[in-house]
Amino acid sequence: MNWYVIGLQQLINGLALGSVYALIALGYTMVYGIIKLINFAHGEIYMLGAYLGFYAITSLNLSLVPAMVLAMVSAAIIGMLLERVAYRPLRSSPRIAVLITAIGASLLFQSTAQLVFGASFKPFPQAIPFTRIQLGPVFTTNRQLLIFGVAVALMIALHIIVQYTTFGKAMRAVSMDKDAAQLMGINIDRVISITFALGSALAAAAGILVGMYYNRIDPYMGTMPGLKAFVAAVLGGIGIVPGAVVGGLLMGVAENMVVAFVSSTLRDAVAFAILIAVLLFRPNGLLGKNRTEKV
Amino acid sequence: MNRRTMYTGLALALIYLLVHGLQAFGLLLSYHVQILSLACINIILVVSLNLINGFTGQFSIGHAGFLAVGAYSSAYLTVTFHTPFFVALLVGAIFAGIVGLIIGLPALRLKGDYLAIATLGFGEIIRVIILNTQAVGGARGFSGIPNYTTFGNSYLLAILTVFVIRNFVNSDHGRACLAIREDEIAAESLGVHSTYFKTLAFSLGAFFAGIAGGLFSHYLQYMAPTSGQIGFMKSIDILIMLVLGGLGNITGSVIAAVVLTIVPELLRGFAEYRMVIYSIILILVMIYRPDGLLGGRSLGYARLKNSIEGVKAHASHK
Amino acid sequence: MLATNNLQVNDLCVNFGGLQAVNKVSFSLKPQSLGALIGPNGAGKTTVFNALTGLCRVSSGQIEFGNEHIANQPAHYIARRGIARTFQNIRLFKNLTVLDNLRIAYHQNRQYPLLSAIFLTTKFRQEEKQITAKAEEALSLVNLSERSQSLAGSLPYGEQRRVEIARALMLNPHLLLLDEPAAGMNPQETQTLLQLIRDLRDNLKLSILLIEHDMKLVMNLCEELFVLDYGQLIAAGCPKTVQNDPRVIQAYLGGKTA
């Protein structure tokens, strides 16, 4: 096979993986945009989403779409609870305290999942039969198309919510200036809650998509994709919604290319190398504007 | 030497004799003494992270990366060249310090959570490099490391670490670090070269983490490049001890390191609940006692007096 | 030596994005003089201070202090050249004691090396004693000796402002920049402050430039005023001249309708 065929194939695989990163990254970026918190537990919500989907399909015998909706709604509630219980009491605390809490929440979800669901992996049920679609020298699969399709649909839905609804307007206002938004009569607590709900729902969807893609889920599956999605959000410009999409897709493609052309052991290093490069050379991300710190 | 130093020295010597005495009488098994060595290693890790996170106000969550550098480089020396242990420890620590310098120089331009994420990234990159280095076993792990770590040498090095870091913090250099933690802009405007001191604290912390690493690898005799041993999860373990002991509190770090090493060993039957309990405590502490269970600064008479006077001053001017 | 420590600012410009916060400002301050930077809110006074102390980027123009160009030098470097400052929104190290706040500011004069501190050598102990004595002396200058062990953040507002001045003095500065030193003080405290500033100038032989909205204080205290409006210097000179300058009156009372 020629190198460009490999490249093209990895581009397809990378876009599928990248759209998952993008879905998770959206949650990071929205939360960061609104309360300046890296929600470390976000990757764990994605993991929980996968398990919720798993039980919805295997125990409740639901088909894929209702299972996904159920998982997204449940994850949204978990996300709102997390914010209410762990983050809201710390809203005026130093950022470091909140960050430590977020790490704590992440550990809590992970270790609880390990207790409840077991530490070993579970095979994810195949809700749709697998087919391979040949496109000239390269191929894609119906699962990849499904991942990509669902991800795009959810992103469009989110875009409509953020840009064209009253809630979206309130959310943008809060992220620009919390105090001013409050003075304009916006219920900040509610906006933050809904932001967590939206982000968590997207992460849950991503969890189910990945469960189907790799056929397996385990309690630790959230850590790495969570970190990588965060990197994607930083890459695109944290707090910027389209940035998360761009960053996620780029990350997915970059990772697949490195695995194909360099070494598979470097899979996880790619994300961190990108992260460090971005932080050092373009800390506001690809789509971010430069800001100066006020003295 | 004043009286307080003398008493402290005496107490430390007594603890050492006590441990060995109890072991001689069979009251402490060698398994117990091993746990105490691990506690000393953890003291070094937590106190050195305290220098970076607690006293200088930087937020590193990649401390295990420096532990890894020290652990692997010193083990490589003793295994391949039969280097004397203390030389290997020192070389490993210097190596970790240099890596700290190389990472710190660019990373410390970042602040708060961005710095946290960058240190996490660097830590994971160190792990991936080790994973890909066949000379130290790569993904298989590094085995056959001699059993050089004893309670005696880890205890001594823990004391040395606490001594050095405490004196650092009480010097002008340490005050510069505290100033950076409190308000970097004000510190700069008072002539403090903040980049220099942040990097100094970071590399010094990395140096001591390197010592801990050397002790760690010669304690376990086998290093695996896993997240729990040299990666993110290990960094988080150290961070939990630091936070529970209190940021900027050396006494707290020591107590937390000892307690959180011993308690999980006592509760081995409940191992799977350990992280659940830790994480709940971590969240509760951040919400209700953000200065740690033992308060923000080292315990002592002066601190107590300060806080009483502070309250008085506040009240009289209300 | 004193003559070389005058401050000379030429065509200073500071831009934030598209906004010109300071526009071609030129002025000079002779050694041992008392000057004030005045003007309406948002005129760019604090930005001038930030430019002088290296806390914001100078877009163009020169700042000369003691025959050296200091524009865009790092803040810690400028502090070492002898310019000390206080902040409008008080930037004390709130969780440290008052004494430690002051001792930190002795940083640039510290002689002992790090190893000396780690091994607790005699040199280290002696110098630490000197630093503490020096800090106590500075604290007594602002009449706050009894507060040395309090946490800085626990002091009342007026005392915090005085601690910040004492801390700046620990740098042994040639030029002291005070950003709204009387803000939040009652008339009594303001009177003490006025006397303190005079004493500092006379006894420590330093120049003081302050930003202040209390016109009574400014007119009583300062020999030279510089008036900023919309980032531009619109008047300069002794209090009498500035007071009667039509542009100054216009800037303060509005009436830009013409």
Side-chain angles (χ1 to χ4, degrees):
Chain A
M1 237 200 282
N2 289 322
W3 65 265
Y4 60 84
V5 177
I6 301 175
L8 203 60
Q9 184 62 55
Q10 291 309 322
L11 183 68
I12 293 172
N13 298 349
L15 287 175
L17 183 65
S19 57
V20 170
Y21 289 155
L23 277 183
I24 313 173
L26 283 168
Y28 273 115
T29 238
M30 285 193 295
V31 166
Y32 193 91
I34 209 157
I35 52 170
K36 302 283 172 284
L37 160 72
I38 299 176
N39 180 13
F40 256 102
H42 194 59
E44 268 56 51
I45 303 261
Y46 149 93
M47 176 269 295
L48 287 179
Y51 273 97
L52 289 166
F54 171 85
Y55 285 110
I57 294 171
T58 56
S59 304
L60 304 177
N61 290 317
L62 294 178
S63 61
L64 182 62
V65 176
M68 193 178 274
V69 172
L70 182 66
M72 286 171 72
V73 171
S74 323
I77 294 169
I78 295 172
M80 285 162 79
L81 278 176
L82 167 68
E83 189 274 328
R84 182 69 195 81
V85 174
Y87 300 151
R88 193 175 297 177
L90 289 162
R91 212 173 279 164
S92 54
S93 304
R95 296 259 289 276
I96 294 308
V98 194
L99 192 63
I100 293 171
T101 310
I103 293 174
S106 161
L107 291 175
L108 179 61
F109 281 133
Q110 199 182 84
S111 49
T112 312
Q114 200 183 323
L115 275 179
V116 177
F117 307 133
S120 54
F121 76 91
K122 288 193 191 308
F124 201 85
Q126 290 311 299
I128 51 164
F130 176 86
T131 46
R132 192 174 147 127
I133 302 155
Q134 203 68 32
L135 299 165
V138 295
F139 68 90
T140 177
T141 66
N142 59 341
R143 282 185 209 154
Q144 284 184 334
L145 291 178
L146 179 77
I147 288 177
F148 198 72
V150 172
V152 169
L154 288 173
M155 285 179 226
I156 291 171
L158 180 72
H159 179 78
I160 292 169
I161 292 173
V162 172
Q163 291 299 326
Y164 302 108
T165 65
T166 323
F167 163 74
K169 208 181 266 180
M171 187 179 136
R172 283 180 287 145
V174 174
S175 76
M176 271 177 218
D177 189 331
K178 217 187 280 178
D179 296 334
Q182 194 156 29
L183 289 173
M184 293 297 111
I186 293 172
N187 182 345
I188 293 191
D189 288 342
R190 214 178 117 243
V191 171
I192 294 174
S193 260
I194 299 177
T195 307
F196 269 86
L198 281 178
S200 304
L202 294 182
I208 294 176
L209 293 175
V210 164
M212 281 179 44
Y213 191 47
Y214 290 132
N215 280 338
R216 54 177 286 171
I217 56 174
D218 65 65
Y220 318 102
M221 66 182 275
T223 314
M224 265 302 150
L227 289 174
K228 287 176 186 171
F230 172 74
V231 175
V234 174
L235 174 63
I238 196 147
I240 304 165
V241 172
V245 178
V246 173
L249 293 177
L250 279 176
M251 278 279 304
V253 172
E255 190 178 315
N256 272 282
M257 292 294 172
V258 169
V259 169
F261 291 110
V262 191
S263 159
S264 66
T265 48
L266 295 179
R267 180 186 289 275
D268 295 340
V270 178
F272 296 112
I274 291 178
L275 171 75
I276 286 157
V278 172
L279 288 180
L280 297 181
F281 301 111
R282 220 184 141 77
N284 294 317
L286 295 176
L287 305 187
K289 288 198 204 83
N290 279 318
R291 274 162 299 173
T292 42
E293 200 190 345
K294 195 168 155 56
V295 176
Chain B
M1 196 186 279
N2 63 27
R3 192 166 283 180
R4 231 178 71 205
T5 341
M6 222 167 68
Y7 285 146
T8 316
L10 262 174
L12 291 172
L14 269 177
I15 293 176
Y16 179 78
L17 291 175
L18 189 70
V19 168
H20 275 283
L22 288 175
Q23 197 182 9
F25 286 108
L27 291 167
L28 279 179
L29 304 175
S30 64
Y31 159 73
H32 297 129
V33 180
Q34 272 181 359
I35 292 169
L36 292 179
S37 315
L38 188 61
C40 292
I41 296 172
N42 284 334
I43 289 175
I44 302 177
L45 287 170
V46 180
V47 172
S48 60
L49 184 64
N50 206 344
L51 177 63
I52 302 170
N53 289 15
F55 291 105
T56 318
Q58 305 306 301
F59 199 68
S60 166
I61 48 175
H63 210 50
F66 305 125
L67 165 104
V69 173
Y72 275 86
S73 50
S74 64
Y76 183 71
L77 286 178
T78 53
V79 169
T80 316
F81 302 107
H82 308 290
T83 316
F85 186 41
F86 274 91
V87 178
L89 277 182
L90 187 66
V91 173
I94 291 173
F95 199 40
I98 293 171
V99 173
L101 184 70
I102 294 169
I103 291 174
L105 273 176
L108 291 166
R109 288 181 3 210
L110 305 165
K111 292 190 177 22
D113 28 20
Y114 275 82
L115 173 66
I117 288 292
T119 53
L120 191 164
F122 276 118
E124 285 302 300
I125 286 175
I126 290 173
R127 193 171 74 85
V128 170
I129 291 173
I130 289 170
L131 200 63
N132 286 285
T133 308
Q134 294 312 317
V136 291
R140 282 172 291 117
F142 193 178
S143 52
I145 305 170
N147 174 21
Y148 286 156
T149 301
T150 61
F151 174 70
N153 55 28
S154 45
Y155 184 65
L156 193 71
L157 286 169
I159 293 173
L160 186 77
T161 306
V162 172
F163 179 78
V164 170
I165 290 182
R166 194 201 68 163
N167 290 353
F168 177 88
V169 169
N170 289 332
S171 72
D172 176 74
H173 302 73
R175 282 196 297 268
C177 292
L178 288 174
I180 292 166
R181 175 190 79 186
E182 293 289 307
D183 186 334
E184 192 170 335
I185 287 169
E188 274 275 331
S189 78
L190 295 172
V192 174
H193 191 331
S194 58
T195 314
Y196 174 84
F197 282 97
K198 283 195 284 186
T199 318
L200 178 67
F202 199 72
S203 340
L204 204 60
F207 175 88
F208 284 107
I211 292 186
L215 288 169
F216 193 53
S217 56
H218 293 86
Y219 166 84
L220 291 175
Q221 296 168 262
Y222 167 73
M223 291 301 292
T226 58
S227 176
Q229 207 164 95
I230 60 165
F232 181 52
M233 288 315 289
K234 182 71 185 177
S235 296
I236 294 297
D237 261 350
I238 307 168
L239 184 73
I240 290 174
M241 293 181 188
L242 172 66
V243 170
L244 297 190
L247 289 161
N249 180 344
I250 292 181
T251 320
S253 292
V254 173
I255 295 172
V258 173
V259 171
L260 293 187
T261 310
I262 294 174
V263 169
E265 293 295 336
L266 297 178
L267 301 175
R268 273 195 166 247
F270 305 91
E272 63 269 43
Y273 293 95
R274 187 178 75 114
M275 281 325 274
V276 179
I277 297 165
Y278 272 22
S279 49
I280 291 174
I281 294 177
L282 199 61
I283 296 172
L284 291 178
V285 165
M286 278 302 109
I287 295 176
Y288 297 107
R289 277 193 75 92
D291 283 342
L293 290 175
L294 297 162
R297 267 154 295 276
S298 297
L299 297 169
Y301 176 67
R303 164 140 170 81
L304 196 67
K305 203 173 131 211
N306 284 348
S307 49
I308 292 170
E309 278 184 13
V311 170
K312 271 192 202 156
H314 202 70
S316 66
H317 286 271
K318 264 277 159 80
Chain C
M1 183 219 158
L2 284 172
T4 61
N5 285 319
N6 60 345
L7 175 72
Q8 180 73 46
V9 177
N10 291 323
D11 291 333
L12 179 71
C13 292
V14 178
N15 301 339
F16 295 128
L19 178 82
Q20 278 222 311
V22 176
N23 190 3
K24 294 218 165 217
V25 168
S26 304
F27 67 92
S28 68
L29 196 66
K30 284 189 280 295
Q32 291 193 56
S33 52
L34 279 171
L37 214 51
I38 61 171
N41 283 322
K45 303 181 298 287
T46 295
T47 308
V48 170
F49 268 26
N50 288 343
L52 290 178
T53 49
L55 294 182
C56 75
R57 265 205 83 72
V58 171
S59 311
S60 65
Q62 288 98 42
I63 304 170
E64 218 178 307
F65 182 68
N67 292 334
E68 188 180 356
H69 289 284
I70 57 163
N72 287 329
Q73 293 289 349
H76 60 87
Y77 178 85
I78 293 175
R80 281 156 186 262
R81 299 266 87 70
I83 301 184
R85 72 171 290 178
T86 65
F87 294 88
Q88 190 179 347
N89 46 343
I90 307 182
R91 302 190 86 135
L92 286 175
F93 307 121
K94 294 192 172 58
N95 298 314
L96 305 183
T97 63
V98 168
L99 198 66
D100 274 342
N101 264 273
L102 269 65
R103 293 201 294 185
I104 283 163
Y106 193 76
H107 177 69
Q108 54 172 329
N109 296 315
R110 181 255 309 155
Q111 303 286 324
Y112 63 79
L114 180 55
L115 282 181
S116 176
I118 284 173
F119 294 111
L120 303 171
T121 62
T122 326
K123 183 177 164 62
F124 163 76
R125 287 162 202 261
Q126 280 173 349
E127 206 180 327
E128 279 291 305
K129 259 185 210 146
Q130 279 170 25
I131 296 173
T132 307
K134 186 94 180 123
E136 275 163 355
E137 192 191 318
L139 211 51
S140 72
L141 278 180
V142 296
N143 274 325
L144 284 173
S145 296
E146 77 282 9
R147 289 272 184 262
S148 69
Q149 292 304 318
S150 309
L151 293 184
S154 71
L155 298 185
Y157 207 66
E159 292 188 4
Q160 289 196 21
R161 288 220 175 270
R162 273 146 65 199
V163 173
E164 215 189 6
I165 294 175
R167 187 178 70 174
L169 290 176
M170 286 294 286
L171 290 173
N172 289 327
H174 300 296
L175 172 62
L176 180 61
L177 306 177
L178 303 175
D179 199 343
E180 300 198 15
M185 284 189 176
N186 62 36
Q188 242 175 319
E189 284 175 314
T190 309
Q191 202 51 43
T192 329
L193 177 76
L194 187 128
Q195 197 49 50
L196 171 68
I197 294 175
R198 272 202 192 117
D199 289 349
L200 290 180
R201 193 269 302 265
D202 296 342
N203 300 337
L204 302 178
K205 313 257 181 272
L206 39 87
S207 322
I208 296 173
L209 181 64
L210 48 96
I211 293 175
E212 191 46 72
H213 286 293
D214 182 340
M215 279 309 131
K216 217 177 105 205
L217 176 86
V218 170
M219 295 298 168
N220 272 330
L221 184 66
C222 298
E223 294 133 8
E224 255 188 300
L225 304 187
F226 310 100
V227 190
L228 282 181
D229 191 27
Y230 291 105
Q232 286 178 310
L233 191 70
I234 57 167
C238 67
K240 270 265 154 8
T241 359
V242 165
Q243 231 168 353
N244 298 319
D245 193 306
R247 276 171 305 175
V248 176
I249 296 166
Q250 198 183 35
Y252 269 91
L253 301 178
K256 284 228 163 184
T257 45

